[in-house]
Amino acid sequence: MAEKMEFFESKIVQDFNREIEQYHLGPLWNAIPDLMHKQPTPAAVPYLWKWETLHAKLMEAREIFTPDRGGERRAIYFQNPGLKQRQPWGWASTTHSLYAAVQLILPGETAPSHRHTQSALRFIMEGEGAYSIVQGERLFMEEGDFLITPKGLWHGHAHPGDTPMIWMDCLDIPTIYSIAGTFYENYPKKIEQPSVPDNYTSQRYAGGLVRPISDRYPKVAPLGSYKWLQTLAALEGLSRFEPDPYDGFAVEYINPSNGHTANPTIAAWMQKLPSGFHSKAHRHTNSVIYQVFKGSGYSIVNGVRFDWSKGDFLVIPNWAWHEHVANEDSFLFSASDLPIMEKFDLQQEEGYPENAGHQIVTDEFKPLLP
Ligand code: GTQ
């Protein structure tokens, strides 16, 4: 060991390491301990954003940014404090692979249609009356609905209703950025015009369990909007039985024509944690971004307690131990990079081995100063 240290610190090695930099070369012997960890050691940290802050900042942004002025969406993203703002790696990253944001649209506003190689999902937190238009279909949004725009599909939003609407966006922006896979295009006219009846796909799938025979052959997005009442009915049925020890009663949004995740690269779940439920702790290679849709409770992530209530966002980085406790019946929406890990055949999961599956709380979450 001492011999090894001597080698790394010797002048001849250090000089060499520096000298080859001018040729844009690097010494593996210096890099490998950081490049190849024994197990995932994400730079992203567990973090919690409170609804009070999010709501206040969105209200300030009402005046500061309008889609008419900026031609874009009024979205504020979650920048993981462990990842760096405005650095190619880490910018607009909530986890290493995923971006999440809250978006506000006011009555009368239009967010123009565009398309890109990033896949997107929306989870509706507050309000009603706005629509997203995807594949020529106006998908009118209500609280608790889940919407998808997989890569390459035109999508724009408009609000003919009369109450402000707030939703969560999640996209695989950091993943596509890091593999230099971005293509982006604005729609030639401001917003796509309807070419099929409103809420066409959710009507076609009103039955829930059966698919139109024309969708036997896989389509990218046969169903654009997953309605809250259908999701809730599924959870109520599940809740009559035993909860999953780690996740309570959880359902995953799937593509009804091929059975895969609704978005190709982002998994999305709705889970119900009944009042008093205390999950066991586990960890997995995928990261997760939680939105507290209803209820309150806390999660313990790597020994730190995060108290959450309605509207809050909690991020669990890859391979972090975590368990959840519900103070009342709680509904958590979550998005994760599980499909990305699975595509690389990297998904792993394990239960907390000690203390009957529960962590010891060593600290309480406090927001980090910038
Ligand atoms: O609403 O289409 O937060 O394209 C980021 C990129 C929202 C959107 C985001 C997007 C959108």
Side-chain angles (χ1 to χ4, degrees):
M1 194 61 198
E3 209 175 299
K4 204 169 155 187
M5 287 307 291
E6 244 168 65
F7 163 77
F8 279 112
E9 283 165 14
S10 67
K11 183 161 167 17
I12 185 167
V13 170
Q14 295 219 343
D15 285 351
F16 182 83
N17 293 351
R18 247 190 314 273
E19 204 267 335
I20 63 173
E21 270 178 29
Q22 64 183 302
Y23 304 103
H24 307 287
L25 298 170
L28 173 66
W29 50 85
N30 228 28
I32 205 160
D34 280 337
L35 291 178
M36 299 197 189
H37 310 285
K38 206 170 159 207
Q39 57 183 21
T41 52
V45 295
Y47 209 73
L48 177 75
W49 289 267
K50 297 299 290 179
W51 171 241
E52 294 74 40
T53 312
L54 301 174
H55 189 255
K57 294 302 150 195
L58 284 174
M59 290 306 127
E60 288 171 33
R62 277 168 88 118
E63 315 298 333
I64 297 194
F65 180 89
T66 63
D68 266 351
R69 243 184 274 150
E72 253 314 324
R73 288 93 169 98
R74 190 191 287 101
I76 298 179
Y77 61 79
F78 299 100
Q79 174 66 44
N80 191 294
L83 300 167
K84 291 285 171 272
Q85 182 86 274
R86 295 199 164 266
Q87 300 289 317
W89 270 262
W91 188 9
S93 302
T94 313
T95 74
H96 285 255
S97 55
L98 298 179
Y99 153 108
V102 279
Q103 180 167 164
L104 167 69
I105 188 166
L106 300 174
E109 289 182 339
T110 299
S113 293
H114 64 202
R115 66 178 175 187
H116 38 66
T117 43
Q118 291 82 357
S119 290
L121 63 81
R122 277 162 252 297
F123 178 70
I124 313 310
M125 297 165 58
E126 217 177 85
E128 58 177 5
Y131 66 81
S132 277
I133 180 156
V134 183
Q135 301 186 99
E137 175 187 358
R138 299 201 300 175
L139 304 154
F140 280 85
M141 300 181 266
E142 297 173 300
E143 282 176 19
D145 289 355
F146 167 73
L147 279 76
I148 53 163
T149 41
K151 68 176 155 58
L153 301 184
W154 295 112
H155 56 284
H157 320 297
H159 198 346
D162 51 22
T163 58
M165 275 200 73
I166 298 174
W167 64 73
M168 167 190 181
D169 294 315
C170 181
L171 292 89
D172 51 4
I173 291 175
T175 303
I176 303 303
Y177 197 76
S178 66
I179 59 173
T182 299
F183 287 87
Y184 173 96
E185 200 181 345
N186 283 320
Y187 194 69
K189 296 183 204 103
K190 196 175 176 194
I191 188 157
E192 192 185 356
Q193 292 306 303
S195 56
V196 296
D198 291 346
N199 305 316
Y200 177 64
T201 60
S202 52
Q203 294 186 71
R204 293 180 82 234
Y205 276 91
L209 209 62
V210 289
R211 69 184 167 204
I213 51 167
S214 55
D215 289 356
R216 277 206 86 211
Y217 300 100
K219 291 186 175 163
V220 176
L223 175 58
S225 170
Y226 299 66
K227 301 303 288 178
W228 168 243
L229 287 179
Q230 279 184 312
T231 309
L232 182 62
L235 286 173
E236 280 171 353
L238 260 189
S239 311
R240 295 188 193 119
F241 307 98
E242 283 303 299
D244 177 88
Y246 302 111
D247 286 302
F249 303 105
V251 290
E252 178 171 12
Y253 298 95
I254 55 165
N255 174 327
S257 78
N258 65 16
H260 299 161
T261 50
N263 257 311
T265 50
I266 314 171
W269 293 10
M270 173 54 73
Q271 69 197 81
K272 177 182 170 185
L273 306 180
S275 181
F277 179 75
H278 189 154
S279 80
K280 289 193 163 191
H282 71 162
R283 64 179 177 183
H284 35 62
T285 36
N286 64 292
S287 59
V288 189
I289 303 163
Y290 273 104
Q291 200 276 332
V292 183
F293 181 48
K294 291 173 196 283
S296 63
Y298 62 92
S299 300
I300 307 165
V301 189
N302 287 341
V304 179
R305 176 175 163 143
F306 292 75
D307 283 273
W308 40 257
S309 51
K310 184 175 155 63
D312 296 352
F313 282 77
L314 172 69
V315 56
I316 298 177
N318 322 70
W319 212 232
W321 293 116
H322 58 280
E323 64 196 271
H324 308 296
V325 183
N327 298 338
E328 57 187 303
D329 280 359
S330 298
F331 290 88
L332 305 180
F333 173 81
S334 66
S336 85
D337 53 5
L338 179 61
I340 298 177
M341 292 300 169
E342 285 179 337
K343 282 186 174 78
F344 283 100
D345 202 11
L346 288 177
Q347 184 63 4
Q348 289 186 41
E349 180 184 338
E350 63 187 30
Y352 193 69
E354 291 154 29
N355 198 28
H358 294 295
Q359 304 164 81
I360 313 265
V361 178
T362 53
D363 205 355
E364 254 174 50
F365 169 72
K366 282 169 226 70
L368 291 170
L369 293 172

